[in-house]
Amino acid sequence: MSRTRTERLVNLVICLLSTRRFLTAAQIAATVPGYDHDPDDPRDHEAFQRKFERDKAELRELGVPLETGTASVFDTEPGYRIARREYALPDIPLEPDEAAAVGIAARLWRHAGLAAAASSGLAKLRAAGVDVDPHATLGVEPVVTVDPAFAPLTGAARERRTVSFDYRVPERDAPGTRRLQPWGVVCWRGRWYVVGHDLDRDAVRCFRLSRIVGAVRVTGRPGSFPPPPAGVDLISHVARWSGPVERTGRATVLVRSGRAAGLRRWADECTAGPDGDRLILRYADPESLAASLVGYGADVRVLAPPELREAVIQRLKEIAAGHEAPAAGALR
């Protein structure tokens, strides 16, 4: 399935989940990106109908409960909606590592080019007087973000366009310019990296996105370089480049009795006490450990060192600030 069609199907699902009314094909065409056409042009309208029929069949094959009906007895044209009671999943308990994986997916969603189109479509529905449920669209714009270089680099990798950017390494004060044919962007140990062919060094290189200074400049045309070699594993390349992690830091955390089994598995020491169990954990990077600890909520409290406590507090502040945004903010 092409990326364009995937985006259209996702936006169609969001549209049909966001209203309890049956929407006609004409309303859907005016709302969902990818269906825009001239209804007065017989050929154009016929092409839309074929596309819409294929997409309906695709959704039903995927198990999406697509219903057909009318909003009132006076309507002559059938409409469509998704039966939310059959589509919704039951509550799914997630372990901290599973929740972290969902968080990565949420970061990607924000930069997949879908949120803006979906928000625009929902705004059109509201303008047309259709009752939109804001609670059905809370996932349109998640609060988690990634490095600013993420979107231009993933776009350039997808279109095979050469890029250049200024990159700072710890052992040098001034950033240097790099020219890269990007193959893809991957996450490794909580950080994002771009992997590709470095034109100046004529070799495969990877770069941490957080060290890119300023904007990424797209300098090549689409398809200006061949795709990466078959079977190349970008994450394995990043792992070899970054080397082994040295866990030189020692953290002391207080854990409620019987909770946080994941932390207990890799703790060096565990001492029971009246107010909970004290665990000694080795770590390499306070930000990475903080990201893991906040997933346990109130069951875990950092006692030492201060840098880890500050990292946890900062992460919690970011989460709280993100949830202060209004639920319908994505529809503005």
Side-chain angles (χ1 to χ4, degrees), residues 28-326:
I28 292 172
T31 302
V32 178
Y35 287 137
D36 44 311
H37 69 287
D38 183 1
D40 297 326
D41 184 336
R43 283 190 174 183
D44 204 17
H45 187 61
E46 183 181 353
F48 156 71
Q49 289 180 318
R50 290 197 302 268
K51 183 190 302 182
F52 185 47
E53 290 299 323
R54 287 196 302 267
D55 288 352
K56 287 192 299 180
E58 180 76 23
L59 290 182
R60 289 187 171 111
E61 289 178 7
L62 292 172
V64 177
L66 190 62
E67 291 184 335
T68 304
T70 55
S72 72
V73 295
F74 302 103
D75 291 339
T76 57
E77 184 180 354
Y80 307 90
R81 70 181 181 188
I82 291 177
R84 196 178 306 166
R85 63 186 179 278
E86 299 177 15
Y87 187 71
L89 293 173
D91 292 338
I92 301 176
L94 296 176
E95 295 296 325
D97 56 344
E98 296 170 330
V102 174
I104 293 174
R107 293 187 181 102
L108 291 173
W109 167 269
R110 181 180 179 90
H111 293 273
L114 300 177
S119 299
S120 175
L122 296 178
K124 292 178 182 178
L125 283 178
R126 287 196 161 195
V130 176
D131 181 26
V132 174
D133 181 4
H135 299 291
T137 60
L138 292 180
V140 171
E141 284 192 318
V143 298
V144 184
T145 61
V146 291
D147 300 283
F150 183 95
L153 287 174
T154 53
R158 182 173 59 251
E159 298 175 0
R160 303 210 309 274
R161 304 181 66 179
T162 303
V163 299
S164 66
F165 49 83
D166 296 331
Y167 190 75
R168 175 178 283 119
V169 293
E171 57 269 19
R172 296 182 181 177
D173 295 331
T177 300
R178 306 296 175 93
R179 297 187 304 134
L180 186 73
Q181 295 174 339
W183 292 348
V185 177
V186 295
C187 185
W188 172 248
R189 290 174 176 159
R191 302 185 187 279
W192 292 97
Y193 298 84
V194 59
V195 182
H197 182 76
D198 189 315
L199 293 175
D200 297 313
R201 292 158 182 79
D202 193 22
V204 179
R205 291 288 188 270
C206 62
F207 301 94
R208 188 193 296 181
L209 267 60
S210 61
R211 292 179 179 169
I212 293 178
V213 180
V216 174
R217 301 175 292 277
V218 179
T219 59
R221 296 180 178 180
S224 60
F225 60 86
V232 64
D233 187 340
L234 302 185
I235 291 184
S236 295
H237 181 82
V238 174
R240 292 193 301 269
W241 174 81
S242 61
V245 174
E246 296 184 8
R247 302 183 184 275
T248 57
R250 286 173 61 88
T252 304
V253 299
L254 184 65
V255 180
R256 287 180 178 175
S257 179
R259 309 306 294 269
L263 287 183
R264 297 173 184 274
R265 282 196 295 268
W266 58 279
D268 287 349
E269 301 176 21
C270 180
T271 305
D275 53 350
D277 300 335
R278 291 175 182 254
L279 306 185
I280 303 298
L281 308 171
R282 293 185 179 272
Y283 68 93
D285 178 60
E287 284 75 19
S288 298
L289 180 56
S292 176
L293 294 179
V294 297
Y296 292 95
D299 291 334
V300 174
R301 181 158 57 92
V302 177
L303 301 181
E307 64 168 359
L308 180 59
R309 284 178 56 86
E310 289 301 319
V312 170
I313 292 172
Q314 182 60 34
R315 181 60 64 96
L316 291 174
K317 286 181 178 179
E318 293 173 358
I319 294 174
H323 284 83
E324 288 175 359

